[in-house]
Amino acid sequence: MRYLSTRGLSPARSFCDILLDGLAPDGGLYLPETYPQASRADLDAWRSLSYADLAFAILSRYIDDIPADDLRALLEKTYCARTYAFTRPGEDAGEITPLRWLEKDRLGLLALSNGPTLAFKDMAMQLLGNLFEYVLERRGETLNILGATSGDTGSAAEYALRGKRNVKVFMLSPHHRMSEFQRAQMYSLLDANIFNIAVTDLVDAAQDVVKAVASDAGFKARYRIGAVNSINWARVLAQIVYYFKGYFAATQNNDQQVAFCVPSGNFGNICAGHIARQMGLPIARLILATNENDVLDEFFRTGVYRPRGAAEVTSSPSMDISKASNFERFMFDLVGRDPAIVCALWAKVDAGKPFDLAGAPYAERLAGFAFVSGKSAHTDRLETIRRIFNDHGVMIDPHTADGLKVAREHPQDGIPVLALETAQPAKFADTLRAALGRDPERPEALNGLEDLPQKVTVMAADAAAIKDYIARQAESAG
Ligand SMILES: *Cc1c(COP(=O)(O)O)cnc(C)c1O
């Protein structure tokens, strides 16, 4: 399998060659040259597989430059019940992504947040950690991951890469902007290869530092600086698996259809759902939910993509985006995989201008992709958290609440909706308290997390000083 850039100006490459990269050299995103098809016989054979075996069945169609035995071993090491251990009452503890019906055969919660950082980003990042270690070892290379986070991504990356050989992680976080729980999650990692840098300015300033460092080609090459952001193809690929797993858990046979509801930000999660559907999984609908940052909802309702200047800060912060970084992958498919059209559209986006695909032939193609969408605001979130708790005795996090709010607006007779649970409520105590007047449940093993010793370096958002710090740590042994 070869991978193409959505801009069409970079050579096609193999999986391991694009694994460590973000953008293609021409500024596009990588996609497989075709989507492998899951036949009826495949679906029948895959229905009863364990998560790791299902992951192998799917990923081995996309990855042909890792020997099958090695790939299988990496997937078994990644998707084991020991890593996804934070199951809750009513969930099957042996499952990696347990399904819990709120209304039997009508509305289910697919738990994707039972991994070490209690957010769905662990599903892909844990695999990325093992793949990175494997490929670096094979090539005799080292890598320094640099990123900026306001919560879920940074901690998922650190937990996936902690203790891994040949990788160091430099993660910038806003000093006073994360919850106490999120800070404790990251800063309590004492592994020698994890470097937390608390930046005394805002998230945007930290992001600017990352951009400044990444655009210094000499520095980047000398210290082998890499990223693990949401445009990484392997992250999207890993996420395809749970759409299949959720489908099999919710249905008795492969004649049935389901809908998935996805709380969305950078369009990574739901992009994996789109690809699962293109592979032949019987998905009736993909229901996209946004928060107040509704650039994607606007597109799916009107056909107009109008990126915003800056994101609004909300109580579902992991969906706060002004443009959706994975959206270009979906656009590539929508415009019939013509890179010249993608280049023209993104020339507009990069100039801060909207584009409009409401007319022919795009409207018809878009309808064929079976997306519907909606948005949810702060009061909807609180109301939904309360309603689900009162009606079902289940606590949900603010992002999952956005999804359930929108799912309810798109019922379809006879088609169950699986709402993806993207985080556990324990991560967002303030919002849970505002909704329910009490603290969220948290996994017992994480009691006292905030009291553990922490390791963090506080710095200003000064690119030169931070480069200097990275250079010193990168050159030290270990
Ligand atoms: C990252 C994240 C999202 C958004 O996912 P995308 O792949 O960026 O669309 C939603 N909910 C939670 C809890 C997240 O961490």
Side-chain angles (χ1 to χ4, degrees):
M1 173 69 78
R2 311 283 291 168
Y3 289 87
L4 314 168
S5 164
T6 50
R7 306 271 172 109
L9 302 171
S10 301
R13 298 168 75 198
S14 72
F15 178 82
C16 288
D17 286 340
I18 65 165
L19 173 66
L20 304 176
D21 290 351
L23 292 177
D26 62 8
L29 308 188
Y30 286 111
L31 271 179
E33 57 196 351
T34 57
Y35 296 128
Q37 292 302 298
S39 67
R40 188 51 194 253
D42 289 330
L43 293 178
D44 289 342
W46 293 355
R47 178 164 276 278
S48 56
L49 295 181
S50 70
Y51 197 96
D53 288 344
L54 178 63
F56 178 78
I58 295 171
L59 269 56
S60 57
R61 305 267 174 108
Y62 286 93
I63 302 175
D64 56 15
D65 53 351
I66 296 178
D69 288 347
D70 291 359
L71 182 60
R72 197 181 276 283
L74 285 167
L75 291 165
E76 271 165 15
K77 178 171 156 188
T78 303
Y79 297 111
C80 62
R82 214 171 347 104
T83 302
Y84 298 89
F86 293 134
T87 48
R88 278 155 296 158
E91 291 179 347
D92 182 342
E95 293 286 334
I96 306 299
T97 55
L99 174 67
R100 220 174 351 164
W101 291 109
L102 297 178
E103 298 165 34
K104 178 75 180 137
D105 293 336
R106 287 170 52 88
L107 178 62
L109 268 184
L110 187 65
L112 307 179
S113 51
N114 294 348
T117 73
L118 307 184
F120 91 97
K121 299 207 167 53
D122 290 327
M123 292 303 305
M125 208 71 93
Q126 286 287 320
L127 177 61
L128 209 62
N130 287 324
L131 284 170
F132 274 23
E133 185 177 54
Y134 174 84
V135 169
L136 289 171
E137 184 86 46
R138 202 166 74 172
R139 294 184 177 167
E141 289 175 8
T142 60
L143 188 67
N144 292 297
I145 297 291
L146 171 65
T149 189
S150 54
D152 294 338
T153 307
S155 55
E158 291 188 351
Y159 278 77
L161 292 166
R162 62 186 297 198
K164 294 269 185 282
R165 292 182 298 272
N166 303 321
V167 191
K168 289 175 179 165
V169 180
F170 298 87
M171 194 58 65
L172 278 51
S173 51
H175 195 28
H176 294 297
R177 274 271 303 278
M178 294 191 299
S179 71
E180 195 187 354
F181 182 88
Q182 286 178 313
R183 280 201 304 272
Q185 249 187 342
M186 291 179 65
Y187 303 166
S188 67
L189 290 180
L190 304 179
D191 306 75
N193 71 329
I194 302 293
F195 300 90
N196 282 302
I197 304 172
V199 172
T200 48
D201 307 88
L202 295 178
V203 192
D204 286 348
Q207 233 115 38
D208 290 343
V209 170
V210 171
K211 277 189 206 137
V213 175
S215 64
D216 178 344
F219 185 86
K220 201 175 159 198
R222 171 149 187 223
Y223 293 105
R224 287 171 302 277
I225 303 292
V228 289
N229 42 33
S230 72
I231 56 169
N232 182 289
W233 164 250
R235 283 183 62 184
V236 177
L237 176 60
Q239 293 170 175
I240 295 172
V241 178
Y242 51 71
Y243 285 89
F244 281 84
K245 193 68 184 164
Y247 172 78
F248 294 135
T251 56
Q252 279 79 48
N253 62 63
N254 299 320
D255 292 323
Q256 288 172 269
Q257 298 220 332
V258 303
F260 285 95
C261 177
V262 189
S264 293
N266 274 318
F267 205 79
N269 198 355
I270 202 162
C271 187
H274 162 71
I275 296 172
R277 190 170 179 277
Q278 294 306 111
M279 290 177 71
L281 187 67
I283 297 177
R285 267 181 179 178
L286 290 162
I287 305 170
L288 179 144
T290 70
N291 65 15
E292 290 87 336
N293 296 288
D294 61 352
V295 53
L296 290 169
D297 177 42
E298 180 178 14
F299 175 78
F300 284 102
R301 278 185 303 100
T302 67
V304 176
Y305 185 64
R306 196 169 50 86
R308 320 291 156 83
E312 180 181 337
V313 175
T314 75
S315 51
S316 48
S318 295
M319 293 157 66
D320 292 348
I321 50 108
S322 54
K323 36 180 144 351
S325 54
N326 271 294
F327 194 53
E328 186 170 333
R329 290 198 158 102
F330 180 71
M331 279 301 114
F332 186 65
D333 286 348
L334 184 62
V335 302
R337 300 198 137 215
D338 182 339
I341 302 179
V342 173
C343 288
L345 295 177
W346 256 262
K348 289 193 180 170
V349 170
D350 292 341
K353 297 210 184 87
F355 63 72
D356 182 348
L357 300 184
Y362 304 114
E364 200 173 316
R365 265 195 221 140
L366 185 57
F369 288 145
F371 276 68
V372 291
S373 73
K375 68 186 276 194
S376 163
H378 182 69
T379 49
D380 301 315
R381 220 163 280 141
L382 298 185
E383 202 274 319
T384 305
I385 292 170
R386 271 195 292 272
R387 179 168 57 80
I388 299 293
F389 187 66
N390 292 338
D391 293 355
H392 307 286
V394 173
M395 276 194 197
I396 53 168
D397 98 291
H399 306 79
T400 307
D402 286 333
L404 285 168
K405 187 265 181 186
V406 173
R408 203 180 190 200
E409 297 164 350
H410 296 281
Q412 248 183 324
D413 267 352
I415 307 232
V417 175
L418 305 188
L420 302 191
E421 181 167 55
T422 54
Q424 289 202 21
K427 292 194 93 162
F428 302 97
D430 289 349
T431 305
L432 266 288
R433 273 195 293 270
L436 301 177
R438 55 189 276 186
D439 284 332
E441 299 144 358
R442 78 156 74 169
E444 216 172 302
L446 298 179
N447 285 335
L449 179 72
E450 291 87 340
D451 305 324
L452 296 175
Q454 298 188 356
K455 186 181 83 160
V456 59
T457 304
V458 180
M459 298 182 78
D462 169 351
I466 289 176
K467 271 196 223 171
D468 198 50
Y469 177 84
I470 294 172
R472 266 183 289 123
Q473 302 299 343
E475 276 166 0
S476 75

